[in-house]
Amino acid sequence: MKAVLKWLKKHKKLCIFLVIAVILAILIGKFVSSVQETAATMMNMLNRQETAAIERRSLVESVSATGSVVSAGSKSVTAEVTGVKSLSVPVEVGDMVAEGDLLCLLDSADLEESLANSELSLSVSQRRTQLDLDSAQRSLNEAGISVQVDMSRMEEQVASALKTYEEARETMNRAGSSYGSANDNSTKIRKALEGYQEELSRVHQQINETVSGGDAPSDDRAALEAEAQRLEQLIAEYQMKYSTAQETERSLKTVYDQAVTAVNNAYDAYERQLQSQEDTIRNGSSTLLSRQDNVTSSRLNASTSGMTDQQQIDRYQEQIAACTVTAPISGVVTAVNLETGDSYNGGAIVTIEDISNYEVTVEIDEYDISKIKTGQKVVIKTNGTGDLELEGEVISIAPRATAGSGVTYTVKTSIDTPCDDLRLDMTAKLSIIISSKEDVLTVPYAAVQTAEDGSFYVEVVDENSAVISGEPGNGPGGDMPGAAAPADGEKPDGEGRPTTAAMPGALPTRRIPVTKGIESDYYVEIFGEGIVEGLEVIVPVDNSLDNLNELMLQMGPMGGV
């Protein structure tokens, strides 16, 4: 024993080195074992195959967004007057006000004085223009009377001239009738005289024939001479009658000609009277129009002369009324920007928010805005109301993008569920319902894969084939060892995620082409030939570098080293 201790003391450094070597050997052995175990675990995790069953469920396609609760009605109250002092501001931030309540009283003394001066100026102007109007109206009335008298006088003169003309025509007609009768009588006497003369000439011819023949009885000759004597007496008588008839005819023709002249003169006089009447009417109308224009001009002057004053009066009255500022809506006062004694020079005096109705404003990305329509239902949650789901609907969509980074559009939604816990500016999380379906066949969104030609398919677990061992190239895992299928009756967990299988071999699968329908945040509707409820489909696992890092963090330090 002493010899051993003596040897240890003599070879102390060697002993320490040996101890250290033994410890290192033990640690290295454990490290190698841990690395091998960790590598195996990582390979199993990387090559695991997640599956999910095709199930029937109700899907809701929605667009999610986060915004803030705002008032459905907000008013920044201003006054239509500036440069006046505030006499009273009887409200403070947080006060509840009703529509019509006094918010601010401004000093209107200077405005009231200006109003009185304008009203006096308007009164004087109106009196002056009224006098001008009255004078023009009197002149018009007088002209109207004068024109009426002239027209009446001219009507009498025209009527008199017409009467004279008509009487002359009657006289002419009578003279013409007498002249015609005398002419007829003279013609009748002339024809009778000519007849007697022709008969006398025939009797003389017979007498001459009797004398030349010498053998005519004396009685016949005496008879012819007696006839000739009678005819001569008649001719002498008718010559006197014809001479008298011609004299009478000439006399009546003279009377007739004079009557015709009188008719022409009377007609000319009547025409002149008519022309004079037209001139009187024209002159009278011109005079009346001129006087009427004067009246119209005076009325226009009366209506416009005080216009400036009246406009100024109206303006002053509006400004005086504006000095009493009242609440346009009911709500809570959220800002007061004017104090008693301050000079008001424009801008919002008080801001009122209507807290009886709330809205939510959110920004929707350009990729989703085309899905949003007014009237769509909305589910709303806020941090202040916890898990309570409030109902609402889309009420407006901005036509243009919001200025700033990215392309987003402001969307407003109503809050239709009454809730006393809501407050302005609360953070609200929205789900805008795009569409929904009941009782449709669904799989997790990641289970639907895209083929080279862009079509969609799912990998269905083929229960009729044997499980392929983990040889290179077999199953979806490629060169990596496969994973086991889920146990009998195993379903996705409570969160809707598929169960992870962990067997050495990959699951045999077959592709089924599918068409996608409605999509939710995690599930998607599928349909196609061979797609039935209960089929197990592969859900590809994310083997990216980020996922590897996550696995490393989950496993922790290797082997505890």
Side-chain angles (χ1 to χ4, degrees), residues 53 80 122 180 212-213 242 310 326 387 389 400 468 479 490:
E80 295 295 326
L122 176 61
S212 62
Y242 181 64
Q310 185 61 54
T326 59
D387 293 332
E389 291 187 349
R400 300 191 64 179
I468 301 175
D479 294 337
E490 188 173 352

Side-chain angles (χ1 to χ4, degrees), residues 377-381 389-392 429-433:
K377 298 300 180 182
V378 180
V379 178
I380 306 166
K381 288 186 177 182
E389 291 187 349
L390 306 175
E391 294 182 354
K429 299 177 181 179
L430 305 186
S431 291
I432 302 175
I433 309 302

Side-chain angles (χ1 to χ4, degrees), residues 243-549:
S243 177
T244 302
Q246 284 186 321
E247 184 64 29
T248 301
E249 181 183 355
R250 283 192 296 268
S251 175
L252 292 176
K253 184 177 185 307
T254 299
V255 172
Y256 174 71
D257 290 341
Q258 291 174 350
V260 170
T261 301
V263 167
N264 291 334
N265 292 337
Y267 181 78
D268 291 341
Y270 174 64
E271 287 288 332
R272 287 193 298 272
Q273 289 299 328
L274 287 177
Q275 185 63 46
S276 297
Q277 184 182 40
E278 292 179 0
D279 293 342
T280 300
I281 292 173
R282 184 168 53 254
N283 293 335
S285 298
S286 177
T287 300
L288 289 176
L289 288 175
S290 177
R291 301 296 171 84
Q292 183 62 56
D293 289 343
N294 291 338
V295 171
T296 302
S297 178
S298 297
R299 284 178 179 169
L300 290 175
N301 290 335
S303 62
T304 58
S305 63
M307 183 176 294
T308 303
D309 290 332
Q310 185 61 54
Q311 289 174 341
Q312 192 63 47
I313 288 172
D314 294 341
R315 179 60 178 163
Y316 284 139
Q317 289 175 339
E318 291 172 358
Q319 290 179 332
I320 291 171
C323 288
T324 302
V325 183
T326 59
I329 61 172
S330 299
V332 62
V333 176
T334 58
V336 178
N337 304 316
L338 190 68
E339 296 182 357
T340 300
D342 290 347
S343 178
Y344 177 67
N345 294 306
I349 300 174
V350 173
T351 300
I352 302 174
E353 302 278 355
D354 179 10
I355 57 173
S356 63
N357 291 298
Y358 290 107
E359 295 176 351
V360 178
T361 57
V362 295
E363 294 295 323
I364 302 297
D365 191 88
E366 62 179 318
Y367 299 105
D368 293 325
I369 193 63
S370 61
K371 304 175 184 177
I372 309 301
K373 303 290 185 294
T374 56
Q376 289 175 335
K377 298 300 180 182
V378 180
V379 178
I380 306 166
K381 288 186 177 182
T382 70
N383 294 339
T385 55
D387 293 332
L388 178 63
E389 291 187 349
L390 306 175
E391 294 182 354
E393 67 177 39
V394 177
I395 57 177
S396 70
I397 304 169
R400 300 191 64 179
T402 303
S405 59
V407 180
T408 61
Y409 295 81
T410 302
V411 174
K412 285 188 178 182
T413 70
S414 64
I415 300 179
D416 300 332
T417 303
C419 182
D420 295 335
D421 295 332
L422 282 176
R423 296 293 184 273
L424 293 171
D425 302 323
M426 279 186 173
T427 299
K429 299 177 181 179
L430 305 186
S431 291
I432 302 175
I433 309 302
I434 305 303
S435 60
S436 62
K437 281 188 178 180
E438 302 289 335
D439 195 30
V440 295
L441 295 175
T442 65
V443 294
Y445 186 83
V448 180
Q449 304 181 57
T450 305
E452 292 77 5
D453 60 358
S455 62
F456 299 111
Y457 69 91
V458 293
E459 285 188 307
V460 179
V461 176
D462 191 351
E463 297 179 354
N464 296 324
S465 299
V467 176
I468 301 175
S469 64
E471 297 178 359
N474 290 333
D479 294 337
M480 297 296 182
D488 291 341
E490 188 173 352
K491 298 293 182 182
D493 60 22
E495 296 299 321
R497 302 291 182 179
T499 303
T500 302
M503 290 182 64
L507 296 174
T509 62
R510 56 189 174 88
R511 289 186 180 185
I512 298 181
V514 297
T515 300
K516 293 198 297 185
I518 186 173
E519 300 177 6
S520 68
D521 291 340
Y522 184 70
Y523 290 100
V524 58
E525 175 192 9
I526 61 170
F527 46 89
E529 185 176 355
I531 297 299
V532 294
E533 185 177 6
L535 285 179
E536 292 287 333
V537 297
I538 300 297
V539 182
V541 179
D542 182 7
N543 291 332
S544 64
L545 180 60
D546 290 340
N547 196 35
L548 290 176
N549 290 334

Side-chain angles (χ1 to χ4, degrees), residues 145 147 186 260 376:
I145 294 173
V147 169
S186 177
V260 170
Q376 289 175 335

Side-chain angles (χ1 to χ4, degrees), residues 109-326:
D110 292 341
L111 294 172
E112 291 174 355
E113 182 179 353
S114 298
L115 173 62
N117 292 334
S118 294
E119 288 176 339
L120 178 60
S121 176
L122 176 61
S123 177
V124 172
S125 176
Q126 288 177 337
R127 179 58 181 166
R128 183 182 299 112
T129 53
Q130 186 60 46
L131 291 174
D132 293 341
L133 177 59
D134 292 343
S135 176
Q137 188 64 55
R138 283 195 302 271
S139 179
L140 174 62
N141 294 338
E142 292 171 356
I145 294 173
S146 177
V147 169
Q148 187 175 4
V149 170
D150 292 341
M151 290 294 296
S152 178
R153 184 182 298 115
M154 288 306 303
E155 286 178 358
E156 292 177 358
Q157 292 176 357
V158 169
S160 176
L162 178 60
K163 182 179 179 181
T164 300
Y165 168 67
E166 291 175 346
E167 290 176 349
R169 280 179 58 87
E170 291 178 0
T171 301
M172 181 189 70
N173 291 336
R174 288 194 298 270
S177 178
S178 298
Y179 169 66
S181 297
N183 182 265
D184 291 342
N185 185 52
S186 177
T187 301
K188 183 179 179 181
I189 293 172
R190 180 177 57 80
K191 287 182 178 180
L193 176 60
E194 290 175 351
Y196 289 139
Q197 289 175 343
E198 288 177 359
E199 188 176 353
L200 178 60
S201 177
R202 188 173 54 254
V203 171
H204 285 164
Q205 184 178 0
Q206 290 177 354
I207 292 173
N208 292 333
E209 289 177 353
T210 301
V211 173
S212 62
D215 55 352
S218 59
D219 292 339
D220 291 338
R221 181 175 180 181
L224 289 173
E225 289 177 352
E227 182 62 23
Q229 185 178 1
R230 184 184 71 82
L231 290 173
E232 288 174 354
Q233 289 177 352
L234 285 174
I235 289 172
E237 180 181 349
Y238 271 86
Q239 284 177 341
M240 290 181 62
K241 287 182 179 181
Y242 181 64
S243 177
T244 302
Q246 284 186 321
E247 184 64 29
T248 301
E249 181 183 355
R250 283 192 296 268
S251 175
L252 292 176
K253 184 177 185 307
T254 299
V255 172
Y256 174 71
D257 290 341
Q258 291 174 350
V260 170
T261 301
V263 167
N264 291 334
N265 292 337
Y267 181 78
D268 291 341
Y270 174 64
E271 287 288 332
R272 287 193 298 272
Q273 289 299 328
L274 287 177
Q275 185 63 46
S276 297
Q277 184 182 40
E278 292 179 0
D279 293 342
T280 300
I281 292 173
R282 184 168 53 254
N283 293 335
S285 298
S286 177
T287 300
L288 289 176
L289 288 175
S290 177
R291 301 296 171 84
Q292 183 62 56
D293 289 343
N294 291 338
V295 171
T296 302
S297 178
S298 297
R299 284 178 179 169
L300 290 175
N301 290 335
S303 62
T304 58
S305 63
M307 183 176 294
T308 303
D309 290 332
Q310 185 61 54
Q311 289 174 341
Q312 192 63 47
I313 288 172
D314 294 341
R315 179 60 178 163
Y316 284 139
Q317 289 175 339
E318 291 172 358
Q319 290 179 332
I320 291 171
C323 288
T324 302
V325 183
T326 59

